[in-house]
Structure formats: C-alpha cells, structure tokens
Amino acid sequence: RSQTIAHHLTGHGGMMSVLASREWIEEALAPWDGRLWIAAINGPASVSISGDPDALAEFGKTLSKAKIYRWQLPGVDFAGHSGHVTTIKDELHQVLDGVTTTPGEIPWMSTVTADWTDPTHITPDYWYRNLHDTVRFHQATQNLLNHGHRTFIEISTHPVLTTAIHDTTETHPELHTTITGTLRRDDDTPTRFLTHLAELSTTGTPVDWP
C-alpha cells in the first residue's frame, strides 16, 4: 500500500529552494495559483516551492529576472507539501488507521502546527497534514526561542537548515545561541561528529562525553 501511495506522487512534481521572504513569494506565485505552492517557510528569507515541473521552470525565469537566488532540489521528483498530496488523502488515512502513539520523553515542537504536540494530536490526519501543509519551520524555531531554547543541533547526514536557523536567530541579536550539525556530505566520520560535540562543549552546552 505504501508503494502505491508513493507511486501517485513520484514523477509528477518537483521542489525548489528560494532565498526570498514568504511575503514576496506569495505575491510572485499568483500567476501559478493551483500549480505551485509554498512547501516550507524555513527562515525569514528562505522558502521552498513545490509543484508542477513546467511551472517551476517558468517561475525560475521570473526569479532570474528579479535576481533572486534559487536552486532545484536534486533527486526530488514529487511535489510534497502541495495540492498534489490531496490525491492520496483517503488512501493515506486508510493506511494509517489504527496506528497509535505513546508519550515520549522529549518535548516535540511540531513544524506542522508550530506548537508543542502530544500523542493525542498524532492522528492519521496529522500525518496527512505533515505531508500536505506548508512546513512551518521558521515559526517553530521562533517559538523555541521564545520558550528559552538557545542550542540547535541539526541531526542529519548534511546540514541544510542551519543557515535558516542562523537567519532566524539573527533577528534576536540580544540572544546568545549555538547552532551546529552532526555530519557533513563526504565527511561522515566519528571525528566530524565529535568535532561538533566539541563545538557545543566550548560554547557552554553540557556534553555527556562517556
């Protein structure tokens, strides 16, 4: 069933990252209403676009004329966080029906709601929205700052969101924040991981070295 769902989305779309504000993008996307969507708001000037490949190519020309930097996400042939996802809504709900969750030990700031979540929120509809709705990463980061969090670690094979986090924290120059990753492309060694831990330690974040 999951392979069938994936087949409905793959090969029919694409995604693009754009260095512009949400407000500018919303206005610029008007001619492509119903073909392109804001997939994610990552920072104050970092937005991802999702939708039809030909519309993305056309929009890319508009961005070139406006001298706005953008890049196509490599290897992505589906339009996540867009109207395309509505085609799998019923089937996704059926596949996830009966899946339950249990309380975790770490608080979870959801980028679907940009708010703290709990097991009662994690329903099949939540996971559908997780795939369909705009990712509210920028707002979630803002809320974490508002709740006193100052250390941000991107746990991934290569950092792609640390720049957006930096941009968000720079709107609060009075706050001292630490932002780092874990691994890097072609540098997935224990040395790289330990180096990031050392960065955290030297900036005042406690590390349990043993």
Side-chain angles (χ1 to χ4, degrees):
R1 292 289 293 280
S2 60
Q3 290 178 339
T4 301
I5 291 175
H7 176 72
H8 285 309
L9 293 180
T10 55
H12 304 290
M15 299 183 72
M16 174 190 295
S17 289
V18 184
L19 297 185
S21 69
R22 174 184 59 82
E23 293 80 8
W24 190 95
I25 291 293
E26 285 180 337
E27 184 175 348
L29 284 179
W32 292 276
D33 184 39
R35 300 179 65 200
L36 294 178
W37 294 262
I38 294 180
I41 303 170
N42 297 317
S46 176
V47 175
S48 295
I49 307 300
S50 183
D52 302 339
D54 56 341
L56 280 173
E58 294 169 8
F59 185 57
K61 295 177 182 178
T62 296
L63 295 173
S64 292
K65 292 178 181 178
K67 293 181 170 49
I68 291 178
Y69 188 67
R70 87 284 181 194
W71 63 95
Q72 197 91 5
L73 297 185
V76 177
D77 62 350
F78 62 92
H81 310 289
S82 77
H84 287 205
V85 180
T86 58
T87 61
I88 65 167
K89 180 178 181 178
D90 292 341
E91 190 164 2
L92 188 62
H93 277 72
Q94 291 175 12
V95 168
L96 296 175
D97 184 42
V99 175
T100 59
T101 57
T102 57
E105 297 179 357
I106 300 174
W108 172 6
M109 175 68 72
S110 169
T111 57
V112 176
T113 62
D115 199 358
W116 300 110
T117 190
D118 64 58
T120 63
H121 297 160
I122 312 305
T123 63
D125 186 64
Y126 174 89
W127 290 116
Y128 168 73
R129 291 180 58 201
N130 185 72
L131 187 60
H132 173 274
D133 293 1
T134 300
V135 178
R136 301 167 66 182
F137 188 82
H138 175 50
Q139 188 177 352
T141 304
Q142 288 274 23
N143 285 347
L144 287 170
L145 289 169
N146 293 339
H147 281 87
H149 294 276
R150 301 292 181 263
T151 301
F152 297 85
I153 307 170
E154 180 175 352
I155 302 174
S156 63
T157 55
H158 187 77
V160 295
L161 291 168
T162 50
T163 299
I165 298 172
H166 272 291
D167 291 344
T168 299
T169 59
E170 284 178 356
T171 62
H172 301 273
E174 74 283 2
L175 302 180
H176 173 70
T177 58
T178 301
I179 304 162
T180 188
T182 48
L183 303 174
R184 297 190 66 85
R185 185 179 299 112
D186 300 322
D187 189 7
D188 58 347
T189 63
T191 298
R192 166 55 58 188
F193 184 74
L194 289 171
T195 298
H196 284 304
L197 289 180
E199 291 173 358
L200 291 172
S201 180
T202 56
T203 54
T205 301
V207 175
D208 185 357
W209 290 103

